[in-house]
Amino acid sequence: MAIGEVLSADLIKSKIYTAVNTIETMLIGVITSVDHVNLKYGVQPVLNRYDDGDKEFVESAILFECPMMSNKCGSFFIRLPYEVGDMVYVGCSKYSVDEAISDNLTKPNRMYGVQQFRQIDGVILGGILSDSEQRLSSDNTSDLLIQNRKTNDKFVILANGGIELVTKTKVIVDSPETEVSGNLTVNGNIIGKSNINIEGSGTIGTVTTKKGTTLDGHTHPYNPGSNPTTSTGAGEG
């Protein structure tokens, strides 16, 4: 093989190598900024890229306003509150993400001819648990679990049936009307700040008035004799 042919082959190989190495498919990064309203985040790739010119590894550029793949449909959505420092898995779109998500309509690709599979066209596909961070709870490994690792509050749909809500703080239900079908057991005090209407019969324990009178042995004075009054008068206490 002639020297010219060898140089030409090496040049072709070099160009192919360079072209292949500029194709980005997937990468792992760490969130640097958050925009929970628009579901766009800054992402810093964790692995440095190799600079062929300087012959050394340099820090990869931050992906700004990287969209998050989300669980949404129609008017419903589930928003995961990613934080700065969270590790995420990013997939790189073949074409321009900004161009594609500008609206929900089909349109010509104005970025046609531009390099495909670029890092700047990344989409966050989900979170990754790094080996250096806090482990997940070993509880409810067979159940559907939503848990706050800082407070240990959790919502669990049990595999064998039933639902558990566990928290050390207040649970707020903000609704004009709440209906419970079935028996209700309360292991604690019930504080009513308005009227209580009960239909049907029931059994209650000791009842004490606001002034401290216990109704279990509560009596009213009356006027004895052959001609008592019809009214027993006001209750004591």
Side-chain angles (χ1 to χ4, degrees):
M1 182 179 292
I3 295 178
E5 293 176 342
V6 173
L7 293 176
S8 178
D10 289 343
L11 180 60
I12 292 173
K13 290 179 181 178
S14 176
K15 287 184 176 296
I16 293 175
Y17 176 81
T18 300
V20 170
N21 278 275
T22 57
I23 297 176
E24 303 286 350
T25 55
M26 301 286 182
L27 61 92
I28 296 175
V30 173
I31 289 182
T32 59
S33 62
V34 298
D35 179 355
H36 294 311
V37 176
N38 296 301
L39 293 181
K40 291 186 177 182
Y41 305 82
V43 178
Q44 172 68 66
V46 295
L47 297 180
N48 296 336
R49 64 179 181 84
Y50 184 74
D51 190 302
D52 289 321
D54 295 334
K55 304 300 181 183
E56 64 179 357
F57 287 97
V58 296
E59 190 174 82
S60 298
I62 292 177
L63 312 182
F64 293 102
E65 295 188 349
C66 188
M68 171 80 66
M69 187 176 73
S70 58
N71 293 316
K72 71 175 190 66
C73 58
S75 59
F76 299 94
F77 72 94
I78 299 175
R79 181 170 59 199
L80 301 179
Y82 282 90
E83 299 178 352
V84 171
D86 284 344
M87 180 171 282
V88 291
Y89 194 49
V90 179
C92 299
S93 172
K94 181 178 180 180
Y95 299 117
S96 169
V97 168
D98 290 338
E99 183 77 9
I101 67 175
S102 60
D103 53 46
N104 291 2
L105 305 176
T106 59
K107 49 190 168 291
N109 181 9
R110 296 186 300 175
M111 300 293 289
Y112 181 78
V114 175
Q115 177 186 332
Q116 300 174 353
F117 297 105
R118 303 176 300 173
Q119 277 194 1
I120 60 174
D121 293 318
V123 176
I124 299 173
L125 303 179
I128 294 180
L129 183 68
S130 72
D131 292 337
S132 62
E133 66 179 295
Q134 177 186 350
R135 299 295 89 189
L136 301 183
S137 171
S138 59
D139 298 336
N140 305 105
T141 54
S142 299
D143 308 316
L144 177 60
L145 172 67
I146 300 175
Q147 185 172 29
N148 185 330
R149 288 188 290 170
K150 294 179 181 179
T151 63
N152 289 324
D153 294 346
K154 62 182 181 180
F155 175 82
V156 188
I157 299 180
L158 302 171
N160 59 358
I163 294 176
E164 292 181 356
L165 175 60
V166 181
T167 179
K168 296 178 181 178
T169 56
K170 182 186 294 186
V171 175
I172 299 176
V173 178
D174 188 355
S175 171
E177 186 173 344
T178 302
E179 182 174 328
V180 178
S181 299
N183 297 330
L184 177 65
T185 301
V186 179
N187 295 319
N189 298 326
I190 298 178
I191 301 174
K193 295 185 178 181
S194 187
N195 298 328
I196 298 178
N197 298 319
I198 300 177
E199 297 181 3
S201 61
T203 303
I204 59 176
T206 299
V207 177
T208 304
T209 67
K210 188 176 182 179
K211 293 183 178 181
T213 301
T214 300
L215 299 186
D216 287 355
H218 184 68
T219 59
H220 289 259
Y222 70 99
N223 182 14
S226 59
N227 189 25
T229 60
T230 56
S231 174
T232 59
E236 293 180 348

